[in-house]
Amino acid sequence: MKIICNPVSYGGKARKAWPTVVKALKDAGLDFEVEWTKEPGDAIRITKASVKDHKVICAYGGDGTINEVLTGIGQTGFKNTLGMLPAGRGNDNAFSVRQTNHLADLVDMLVHQETRTIDCLEINGGERYCLGVAGAGIDAVVAEMVLGKSSRLSYNLYLVKGFFTYRPKPMQIDIDDGRITRNVKALSILLCNGQRVGNKKMVAPNAVIDDGLIDIAIIGNTRILETLITSLKLTDGTYIEHPKVEVFRGKKVVIHTTSKKSIPAHAMGEMLGPLPHTFVCLHKVLKILRMSDTILKREGWDKANVFSENLER
Ligand SMILES: [Mg+2]
C-alpha cells in the first residue's frame, strides 16, 4: 500500500497531524510506503509511478490531493484502488462516499480493505478525473481566488468578494449529445457525481454516486441579492428549488461560452482552465476503500441515498 501525503493540506495541519496518523497505522500492523508531494501535480506523477507496485494507493490530504491521486489512477486505466485519508478543510469527497474522519475508523478501513465501485467524472477525455463536483462560473472563480489561501477568514472574504463582483455569463450547455441544450446567462453550472463541495456545501443532495448519471444544476441569471440568497442555500441544497435554477441528469455534458471573457472551470476546487470542457460520467469504474457496515450503521449512513443500492426506484 502506498500513501501519498500533501504537507500543505489544510494550511499545514495535515503535516502536523501526520505523526499521530503514522503511529496508529504502525500500531495496527499495516505495511505501507509514504511519499510527500512538493508541488501541485506531484500526486498525479507519484500515483502513476506507483500503480505497478501498489494495488491500493491512498491520498492523505484535502480534496485536491484526492483528485490528483484519482487522476493518476484514471490515467493508468483504473486498475488500482483509491484510499482516502481525509486531512483537508472540507473533506467533501470523503463525505460523498460516507467516510468519517475519525482516525480509528480510517485505520479499520485500511486494515480490512473492503471496497466499493463508484462512478467517476472524466474531463476532456482523461485530462483530469473527479469523483465529486465540477463546475464552471462563480464557484470556479472563487476557487481560483482562494487557491493556496489557508485561513478560513481569507476564504470567506474571497467568497463574499466573488459574489459581489461576478456577474452571470453566457454559457451553452449540451447534455447527452443534443438531448437537452441550453443557451443561458448562468451564474454557475454544477456537475455533481458526489453530493458535497466547497467546504461542506451540500450542492447535490440527490446525487447518486453509482447510478451512471451526473446531477446537473444550472444557476441562471441571478441578481446580486438573489445570488447571495442562492449561495446561502447551496449549503443545504435547497437552492435547487429557486425558479432560476434548472436541474437535469445526464451522462455527458459539454459546456461552451460565447463570452469574450474567459470563464474558469474547476473540479473539486482544482482549476481546469477556461471553457470549453467536456465531462463524461464513467459508470462504476473507480474502486475505493470503504468503511465497514458497522461504522456506516453507527453514523446512520447504512441507508444513505448516495448509493443506488439504498434507493427504491
Ligand atoms: Mg450520479
Side-chain angles (χ1 to χ4, degrees):
M1 180 168 69
K2 178 98 177 188
I3 305 179
I4 300 172
C5 305
N6 183 350
V8 298
S9 288
Y10 204 173
K13 283 188 189 170
R15 188 208 288 272
K16 278 190 201 131
W18 178 247
T20 313
V21 175
V22 85
K23 184 179 181 303
L25 300 186
K26 283 187 176 158
D27 287 351
L30 286 161
D31 183 28
F32 56 95
E33 193 181 293
V34 177
E35 200 165 338
W36 292 84
T37 61
K38 294 188 183 71
E39 56 188 21
D42 253 8
I44 300 177
R45 180 185 59 76
I46 297 169
T47 301
K48 286 163 109 172
S50 308
V51 290
K52 279 217 173 78
D53 296 332
H54 301 275
K55 200 171 137 247
V56 177
I57 303 180
C58 297
Y60 174 77
D63 286 319
T65 314
I66 289 168
N67 232 23
E68 287 200 3
V69 172
L70 163 61
T71 293
I73 289 176
Q75 287 179 350
T76 49
F78 291 104
K79 294 187 185 81
N80 302 73
T81 301
L82 169 71
M84 288 185 251
L85 304 177
R89 177 181 288 107
N91 301 315
D92 297 312
N93 279 326
F95 178 78
S96 285
V97 299
R98 297 306 187 268
Q99 267 186 228
T100 73
N101 298 341
H102 306 313
L103 184 53
D105 294 347
L106 292 166
V107 169
D108 180 83
M109 181 178 84
L110 294 183
V111 167
H112 292 99
Q113 306 226 337
E114 285 184 74
T115 61
R116 75 166 84 241
T117 311
I118 63 170
D119 300 344
C120 185
L121 295 181
E122 181 186 67
I123 302 159
N124 302 330
E127 262 173 35
R128 301 289 292 205
Y129 292 88
C130 168
L131 74 79
V133 176
I138 189 170
D139 46 329
V141 172
V142 173
E144 198 165 28
M145 288 193 287
V146 301
L147 212 63
K149 307 286 187 302
S150 57
S151 84
R152 196 183 172 85
L153 180 67
S154 62
Y155 183 92
N156 286 338
L157 281 176
Y158 279 106
L159 201 63
V160 171
K161 187 182 165 196
F163 283 124
F164 277 103
T165 53
Y166 191 82
R167 306 269 31 93
K169 302 243 180 338
M171 291 199 249
Q172 294 77 48
I173 305 111
D174 180 320
I175 302 170
D176 296 340
D177 296 315
R179 184 171 64 85
I180 300 165
T181 57
R182 287 289 184 279
N183 187 355
V184 288
K185 259 195 166 178
L187 181 73
S188 180
I189 297 172
L190 298 165
L191 307 177
C192 310
N193 188 48
Q195 295 181 333
R196 240 173 58 174
V197 70
N199 195 9
K200 303 185 173 66
K201 289 186 183 59
M202 189 73 159
V203 296
N206 302 317
V208 179
I209 206 151
D210 55 1
D211 65 349
L213 297 169
I214 308 169
D215 276 40
I216 305 152
I218 302 174
I219 304 177
N221 191 7
T222 53
R223 294 165 200 277
I224 284 185
L225 190 61
E226 278 181 313
T227 304
L228 277 171
I229 294 168
T230 308
S231 69
L232 292 175
K233 289 182 173 174
L234 281 174
T235 311
D236 60 2
T238 53
Y239 75 100
I240 56 176
E241 290 151 18
H242 191 282
K244 285 181 181 169
V245 176
E246 280 193 289
V247 293
F248 303 100
R249 275 187 172 152
K251 293 186 174 112
K252 178 181 174 187
V253 183
V254 182
I255 311 177
H256 291 272
T257 181
T258 50
S259 172
K260 287 201 177 69
K261 289 181 183 163
S262 80
I263 300 176
H266 77 103
M268 289 310 276
E270 298 276 285
M271 301 316 296
L272 298 174
L275 297 177
H277 292 297
T278 300
F279 305 84
V280 175
C281 184
L282 302 180
H283 188 35
K284 288 197 169 185
V285 291
L286 176 65
K287 225 185 285 168
I288 60 167
L289 293 183
R290 54 159 284 179
M291 293 200 154
S292 69
D293 286 339
T294 313
I295 294 171
L296 294 184
K297 205 160 212 173
R298 185 196 72 205
E299 295 295 322
W301 291 340
D302 51 325
K303 303 229 161 42
N305 69 346
V306 74
F307 304 116
S308 56
E309 66 188 24
N310 294 335
L311 298 175
E312 293 165 0
R313 293 205 161 180

